[in-house]
Protein backbone atom coordinates (compact mmCIF):
# COMPACT_ATOMS: atom_id res chain seq x y z
CA UNK A 1 0.00 0.00 0.00
CA UNK A 2 3.05 2.27 0.21
CA UNK A 3 6.24 3.18 -1.64
CA UNK A 4 9.84 3.62 -0.52
CA UNK A 5 10.17 6.78 1.56
CA UNK A 6 6.52 6.87 2.61
CA UNK A 7 5.85 7.51 6.29
CA UNK A 8 4.51 4.66 8.45
CA UNK A 9 3.22 5.44 11.95
CA UNK A 10 3.75 3.06 14.87
CA UNK A 11 3.29 3.45 18.63
CA UNK A 12 6.29 2.25 20.60
CA UNK A 13 6.98 0.28 22.64
CA UNK A 14 5.55 -2.18 20.16
CA UNK A 15 6.20 -5.67 18.75
CA UNK A 16 9.69 -5.55 17.14
CA UNK A 17 8.63 -6.61 13.59
CA UNK A 18 6.64 -3.37 13.38
CA UNK A 19 9.97 -1.52 13.46
CA UNK A 20 11.80 -4.05 11.30
CA UNK A 21 9.18 -4.17 8.54
CA UNK A 22 9.15 -0.40 8.10
CA UNK A 23 12.90 0.17 8.09
CA UNK A 24 13.66 -3.03 6.17
CA UNK A 25 11.36 -1.94 3.34
CA UNK A 26 12.94 1.55 3.28
CA UNK A 27 9.89 3.38 4.55
CA UNK A 28 10.15 6.26 7.02
CA UNK A 29 9.45 5.19 10.60
CA UNK A 30 7.18 7.74 12.32
CA UNK A 31 6.86 6.96 16.01
CA UNK A 32 4.04 8.30 18.20
CA UNK A 33 5.11 6.71 21.51
CA UNK A 34 2.53 5.66 24.05
CA UNK A 35 2.40 7.61 27.33
CA UNK A 36 2.70 6.06 30.77
CA UNK A 37 -0.21 7.39 32.82
CA UNK A 38 -0.01 6.07 36.39
CA UNK A 39 -0.49 2.28 36.14
CA UNK A 40 -1.29 2.01 32.44
CA UNK A 41 -0.35 3.24 28.98
CA UNK A 42 -2.44 5.59 26.86
CA UNK A 43 -2.21 6.88 23.30
CA UNK A 44 -0.60 10.26 22.78
CA UNK A 45 -3.11 11.77 20.35
CA UNK A 46 -1.12 14.98 19.90
CA UNK A 47 1.90 12.95 18.77
CA UNK A 48 -0.35 10.78 16.63
CA UNK A 49 -1.84 13.84 14.96
CA UNK A 50 1.62 15.25 14.26
CA UNK A 51 2.97 12.02 12.76
CA UNK A 52 -0.13 11.28 10.69
CA UNK A 53 0.33 14.58 8.88
CA UNK A 54 3.45 13.05 7.27
CA UNK A 55 2.21 9.47 6.96
CA UNK A 56 0.71 7.20 4.34
CA UNK A 57 -0.18 4.33 6.66
CA UNK A 58 -0.69 3.62 10.38
CA UNK A 59 0.09 0.21 11.89
CA UNK A 60 -2.10 -0.20 14.99
CA UNK A 61 -1.49 -2.99 17.51
CA UNK A 62 -4.86 -3.80 19.10
CA UNK A 63 -4.78 -5.22 21.76
CA UNK A 64 -1.32 -3.87 22.24
CA UNK A 65 1.80 -6.01 22.52
CA UNK A 66 3.66 -5.62 24.88
CA UNK A 67 1.79 -3.17 27.16
CA UNK A 68 -1.42 -5.21 27.20
CA UNK A 69 -3.91 -2.41 26.58
CA UNK A 70 -7.31 -3.17 25.08
CA UNK A 71 -8.12 0.13 23.43
CA UNK A 72 -11.53 1.55 24.25
CA UNK A 73 -14.05 2.36 21.55
CA UNK A 74 -13.61 6.06 22.36
CA UNK A 75 -9.84 5.83 21.82
CA UNK A 76 -10.28 3.97 18.54
CA UNK A 77 -12.84 6.49 17.30
CA UNK A 78 -10.21 9.21 17.76
CA UNK A 79 -7.73 7.11 15.75
CA UNK A 80 -10.25 6.76 12.92
CA UNK A 81 -11.01 10.48 13.03
CA UNK A 82 -7.33 11.39 12.71
CA UNK A 83 -6.75 8.89 9.92
CA UNK A 84 -9.67 10.26 7.93
CA UNK A 85 -8.53 13.83 8.50
CA UNK A 86 -5.03 13.08 7.19
CA UNK A 87 -6.02 10.46 4.57
CA UNK A 88 -3.97 7.71 6.23
CA UNK A 89 -4.51 4.00 5.54
CA UNK A 90 -5.37 2.11 8.74
CA UNK A 91 -3.99 -1.39 9.28
CA UNK A 92 -5.04 -3.08 12.53
CA UNK A 93 -3.02 -6.02 13.87
CA UNK A 94 -5.62 -7.72 16.09
CA UNK A 95 -3.86 -11.03 16.65
CA UNK A 96 -4.29 -10.81 20.45
CA UNK A 97 -8.00 -9.85 20.25
CA UNK A 98 -9.26 -13.35 20.99
CA UNK A 99 -7.29 -13.28 24.24
CA UNK A 100 -9.10 -10.23 25.64
CA UNK A 101 -9.96 -10.83 29.30
CA UNK A 102 -13.58 -11.36 30.42
CA UNK A 103 -13.55 -8.03 32.28
CA UNK A 104 -12.64 -6.13 29.08
CA UNK A 105 -14.25 -5.55 25.68
CA UNK A 106 -12.32 -5.54 22.42
CA UNK A 107 -13.61 -3.30 19.64
CA UNK A 108 -12.64 -4.38 16.14
CA UNK A 109 -11.40 -1.31 14.32
CA UNK A 110 -13.22 -2.24 11.11
CA UNK A 111 -16.51 -1.78 13.00
CA UNK A 112 -15.69 1.92 13.13
CA UNK A 113 -14.33 2.34 9.60
CA UNK A 114 -15.20 0.15 6.62
CA UNK A 115 -11.87 0.87 4.94
CA UNK A 116 -9.70 -0.62 7.70
CA UNK A 117 -7.41 -3.51 6.76
CA UNK A 118 -7.36 -6.12 9.54
CA UNK A 119 -4.57 -8.65 9.92
CA UNK A 120 -4.98 -11.47 12.42
CA UNK A 121 -4.71 -15.19 13.14
CA UNK A 122 -5.95 -17.84 15.55
CA UNK A 123 -2.33 -18.78 16.24
CA UNK A 124 -1.95 -16.95 19.58
CA UNK A 125 -5.33 -17.85 21.06
CA UNK A 126 -5.27 -21.50 20.02
CA UNK A 127 -1.51 -22.11 20.14
CA UNK A 128 -1.18 -23.14 16.48
CA UNK A 129 1.51 -20.71 15.31
CA UNK A 130 3.38 -23.58 13.65
CA UNK A 131 0.61 -23.93 11.08
CA UNK A 132 1.14 -20.38 9.75
CA UNK A 133 -2.63 -19.87 9.84
CA UNK A 134 -3.20 -16.15 9.36
CA UNK A 135 -5.53 -13.96 7.35
CA UNK A 136 -6.18 -10.44 6.05
CA UNK A 137 -9.59 -8.75 5.94
CA UNK A 138 -9.54 -6.08 3.23
CA UNK A 139 -12.95 -4.80 2.07
CA UNK A 140 -11.56 -2.50 -0.63
CA UNK A 141 -11.40 -4.37 -3.95
CA UNK A 142 -8.44 -2.41 -5.38
CA UNK A 143 -6.36 -2.76 -2.23
CA UNK A 144 -7.19 -6.46 -1.91
CA UNK A 145 -6.10 -7.05 -5.50
CA UNK A 146 -2.73 -5.41 -4.80
CA UNK A 147 -2.25 -7.50 -1.66
CA UNK A 148 -3.14 -10.68 -3.53
CA UNK A 149 -0.65 -9.87 -6.28
CA UNK A 150 2.17 -9.56 -3.74
CA UNK A 151 1.13 -12.78 -2.01
CA UNK A 152 1.03 -14.67 -5.29
CA UNK A 153 4.40 -13.26 -6.34
CA UNK A 154 6.00 -14.59 -3.14
CA UNK A 155 3.93 -17.80 -2.99
CA UNK A 156 2.39 -16.76 0.35
CA UNK A 157 -0.55 -19.14 0.41
CA UNK A 158 -2.17 -20.93 3.37
CA UNK A 159 -1.96 -24.70 3.51
CA UNK A 160 -5.03 -26.96 3.78
CA UNK A 161 -3.99 -27.60 7.40
CA UNK A 162 -4.06 -23.87 8.15
CA UNK A 163 -7.46 -23.39 6.48
CA UNK A 164 -8.94 -26.30 8.41
CA UNK A 165 -7.51 -25.02 11.69
CA UNK A 166 -8.89 -21.50 11.17
CA UNK A 167 -12.37 -22.85 10.41
CA UNK A 168 -12.29 -25.17 13.43
CA UNK A 169 -11.03 -22.46 15.78
CA UNK A 170 -13.78 -20.01 14.82
CA UNK A 171 -16.76 -22.33 14.32
CA UNK A 172 -16.44 -25.24 16.76
CA UNK A 173 -18.36 -24.66 20.01
CA UNK A 174 -15.78 -26.69 21.91
CA UNK A 175 -13.06 -24.27 20.79
CA UNK A 176 -15.20 -21.38 22.03
CA UNK A 177 -15.68 -22.99 25.46
CA UNK A 178 -11.97 -23.73 25.72
CA UNK A 179 -11.10 -20.12 24.84
CA UNK A 180 -13.53 -18.78 27.45
CA UNK A 181 -11.79 -20.86 30.09
CA UNK A 182 -8.37 -19.79 28.84
CA UNK A 183 -9.06 -16.04 28.95
CA UNK A 184 -10.51 -16.32 32.46
CA UNK A 185 -7.42 -18.19 33.62
CA UNK A 186 -5.06 -15.71 31.95
CA UNK A 187 -6.77 -12.78 33.70
CA UNK A 188 -6.48 -14.58 37.02
CA UNK A 189 -2.81 -15.35 36.32
CA UNK A 190 -2.06 -11.73 35.35
CA UNK A 191 -3.70 -10.36 38.49
CA UNK A 192 -1.83 -12.85 40.66
CA UNK A 193 1.50 -11.97 39.07
CA UNK A 194 1.07 -8.18 39.31
CA UNK A 195 -0.03 -8.44 42.97
CA UNK A 196 3.03 -10.53 43.77
CA UNK A 197 5.30 -7.99 42.06
CA UNK A 198 3.68 -5.10 43.93
CA UNK A 199 4.07 -6.84 47.27
CA UNK A 200 7.46 -8.53 46.92
CA UNK A 201 9.26 -6.57 44.18
CA UNK A 202 7.98 -2.98 44.44
CA UNK A 203 11.23 -1.79 42.81
CA UNK A 204 9.97 -3.23 39.55
CA UNK A 205 7.03 -1.43 37.96
CA UNK A 206 4.44 -3.61 36.25
CA UNK A 207 1.42 -2.81 34.09
CA UNK A 208 -1.65 -5.02 34.52
CA UNK A 209 -2.54 -6.29 31.05
CA UNK A 210 -6.10 -6.39 29.72
CA UNK A 211 -5.46 -9.17 27.20
CA UNK A 212 -3.01 -11.95 26.31
CA UNK A 213 -0.25 -13.68 28.27
CA UNK A 214 2.47 -11.01 28.35
CA UNK A 215 3.59 -8.79 31.23
CA UNK A 216 5.65 -5.62 30.65
CA UNK A 217 8.06 -4.97 33.52
CA UNK A 218 10.19 -1.87 34.13
CA UNK A 219 13.62 -2.75 35.53
CA UNK A 220 14.79 0.88 35.74
CA UNK A 221 15.61 0.44 39.44
CA UNK A 222 18.28 -2.04 38.40
CA UNK A 223 20.26 0.86 36.96
CA UNK A 224 21.84 -1.40 34.33
CA UNK A 225 22.21 -0.99 30.58
CA UNK A 226 20.26 -3.57 28.53
CA UNK A 227 23.22 -5.89 27.88
CA UNK A 228 24.33 -5.80 31.52
CA UNK A 229 20.76 -6.49 32.67
CA UNK A 230 20.48 -9.37 30.24
CA UNK A 231 23.73 -10.86 31.55
CA UNK A 232 22.50 -10.47 35.16
CA UNK A 233 19.16 -12.11 34.39
CA UNK A 234 20.71 -15.00 32.46
CA UNK A 235 23.76 -15.78 34.56
CA UNK A 236 22.68 -14.89 38.09
CA UNK A 237 18.89 -14.96 38.25
CA UNK A 238 18.63 -17.67 35.59
CA UNK A 239 15.63 -16.10 33.88
CA UNK A 240 15.29 -15.66 30.13
CA UNK A 241 12.93 -12.78 29.31
CA UNK A 242 12.29 -10.72 26.16
CA UNK A 243 14.50 -7.59 26.31
CA UNK A 244 12.59 -4.34 25.87
CA UNK A 245 14.92 -2.37 23.60
CA UNK A 246 13.80 -4.08 20.34
CA UNK A 247 10.30 -2.78 21.13
CA UNK A 248 11.61 0.79 20.82
CA UNK A 249 13.81 3.23 22.72
CA UNK A 250 11.11 3.71 25.35
CA UNK A 251 11.44 0.01 26.19
CA UNK A 252 15.13 0.28 27.07
CA UNK A 253 14.64 -0.41 30.80
CA UNK A 254 11.95 -3.08 30.29
CA UNK A 255 11.68 -6.84 30.00
CA UNK A 256 8.66 -8.82 28.78
CA UNK A 257 7.63 -12.05 30.48
CA UNK A 258 5.33 -14.72 29.08
CA UNK A 259 3.05 -15.92 31.90
CA UNK A 260 1.16 -18.43 29.76
CA UNK A 261 2.59 -21.25 31.80
CA UNK A 262 2.00 -23.09 35.07
CA UNK A 263 1.74 -21.29 38.41
CA UNK A 264 4.67 -23.36 39.65
CA UNK A 265 6.96 -22.00 36.94
CA UNK A 266 5.90 -18.42 37.70
CA UNK A 267 6.40 -18.93 41.43
CA UNK A 268 9.92 -20.18 40.77
CA UNK A 269 10.65 -17.18 38.54
CA UNK A 270 9.41 -14.77 41.23
CA UNK A 271 11.40 -16.60 43.88
CA UNK A 272 14.62 -16.20 41.89
CA UNK A 273 13.96 -12.52 41.19
CA UNK A 274 13.11 -11.80 44.83
CA UNK A 275 16.23 -13.57 46.11
CA UNK A 276 18.47 -11.42 43.88
CA UNK A 277 16.58 -8.17 44.31
CA UNK A 278 17.99 -7.62 47.80
CA UNK A 279 21.55 -8.10 46.69
CA UNK A 280 24.11 -5.89 45.04
CA UNK A 281 22.25 -5.78 41.72
CA UNK A 282 19.79 -3.16 42.94
CA UNK A 283 20.92 0.33 43.96
Amino acid sequence: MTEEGDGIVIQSPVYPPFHELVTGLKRELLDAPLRQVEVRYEMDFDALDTQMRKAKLFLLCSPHNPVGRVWTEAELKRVVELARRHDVILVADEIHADLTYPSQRHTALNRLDDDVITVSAPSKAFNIAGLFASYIICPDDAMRKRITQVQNKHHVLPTPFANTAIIAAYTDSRAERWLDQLTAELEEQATYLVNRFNEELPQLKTFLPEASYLLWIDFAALNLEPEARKKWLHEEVRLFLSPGLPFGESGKTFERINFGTSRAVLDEALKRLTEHAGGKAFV
Side-chain angles (χ1 to χ4, degrees):
M1 300 296 101
T2 63
E3 305 293 337
E4 286 189 13
D6 283 345
I8 313 293
V9 179
I10 65 170
Q11 295 172 302
S12 66
V14 71
Y15 188 48
F18 276 43
H19 303 258
E20 296 157 5
L21 266 175
V22 175
T23 56
L25 293 171
K26 299 180 182 178
R27 273 59 171 169
E28 182 183 3
L29 187 70
L30 301 173
D31 194 5
L34 301 175
R35 299 185 300 126
Q36 290 185 36
V37 181
E38 296 180 353
V39 294
R40 74 172 193 169
Y41 280 83
E42 293 183 357
M43 294 191 192
D44 186 335
F45 288 102
D46 289 336
L48 204 52
D49 185 24
T50 298
Q51 298 293 41
M52 278 198 186
R53 294 171 191 269
K54 304 174 284 185
K56 179 73 179 292
L57 185 146
F58 174 33
L59 285 174
L60 173 72
C61 194
S62 177
H64 195 279
N65 173 11
V67 309
R69 272 301 313 279
V70 173
W71 306 117
T72 65
E73 186 167 328
E75 288 171 312
L76 294 174
K77 282 181 176 177
R78 291 188 68 182
V79 168
V80 168
E81 178 190 335
L82 286 172
R84 286 174 175 168
R85 184 189 307 167
H86 300 301
D87 193 26
V88 170
I89 299 168
L90 284 176
V91 177
D93 175 357
E94 299 188 0
I95 197 167
H96 291 273
D98 292 327
L99 293 173
T100 299
Y101 298 160
S103 65
Q104 305 295 322
R105 181 175 177 272
H106 169 74
T107 299
L109 193 63
N110 61 13
R111 281 188 55 244
L112 307 178
D113 187 334
D114 292 339
D115 293 327
V116 167
I117 298 172
T118 303
V119 294
S120 194
S123 55
K124 304 294 185 186
F126 296 95
N127 198 22
I128 52 173
L131 292 179
F132 295 97
S134 59
Y135 55 87
I136 298 171
I137 302 171
C138 181
D140 184 274
D141 289 336
M143 284 187 175
R144 188 168 63 253
K145 184 177 180 180
R146 290 173 66 184
I147 292 170
T148 301
Q149 286 174 341
V150 174
Q151 289 181 313
N152 290 340
K153 177 182 177 182
H154 296 284
H155 304 287
V156 181
L157 298 170
T159 68
F161 299 104
N163 288 335
T164 302
I166 291 173
I167 293 168
Y170 291 146
T171 62
D172 194 308
S173 60
R174 293 167 296 180
E176 191 74 20
R177 289 196 300 271
W178 180 85
L179 187 59
D180 287 343
Q181 294 172 13
L182 173 64
T183 53
E185 185 166 325
L186 286 175
E187 183 166 26
E188 181 182 321
Q189 194 91 305
T191 304
Y192 169 81
L193 200 54
V194 169
N195 287 340
R196 288 281 307 272
F197 267 98
N198 290 341
E199 292 169 9
E200 300 167 35
L201 290 160
Q203 311 98 317
L204 307 183
K205 186 176 182 181
T206 56
F207 299 84
L208 184 64
E210 298 167 340
S212 204
Y213 46 82
L214 304 166
L215 185 65
W216 191 234
I217 310 166
D218 192 351
F219 280 74
L222 208 67
N223 200 29
L224 289 173
E225 290 298 309
E227 279 303 312
R229 185 174 70 247
K230 177 181 176 181
K231 180 178 171 61
W232 177 78
L233 283 167
H234 287 189
E235 298 181 6
E236 295 186 42
V237 187
R238 301 298 294 162
L239 279 183
F240 288 72
L241 308 179
S242 299
L245 191 55
F247 293 81
E249 188 63 31
S250 59
K252 185 177 180 180
T253 63
F254 285 79
E255 299 283 337
R256 190 187 70 172
I257 187 171
N258 180 337
F259 58 84
T261 184
S262 70
R263 186 65 60 85
V265 170
L266 291 177
D267 285 341
E268 176 63 24
L270 285 164
K271 176 175 175 287
R272 294 182 186 187
L273 262 180
T274 304
E275 286 174 350
H276 287 81
K280 60 182 180 180
F282 282 86
V283 295

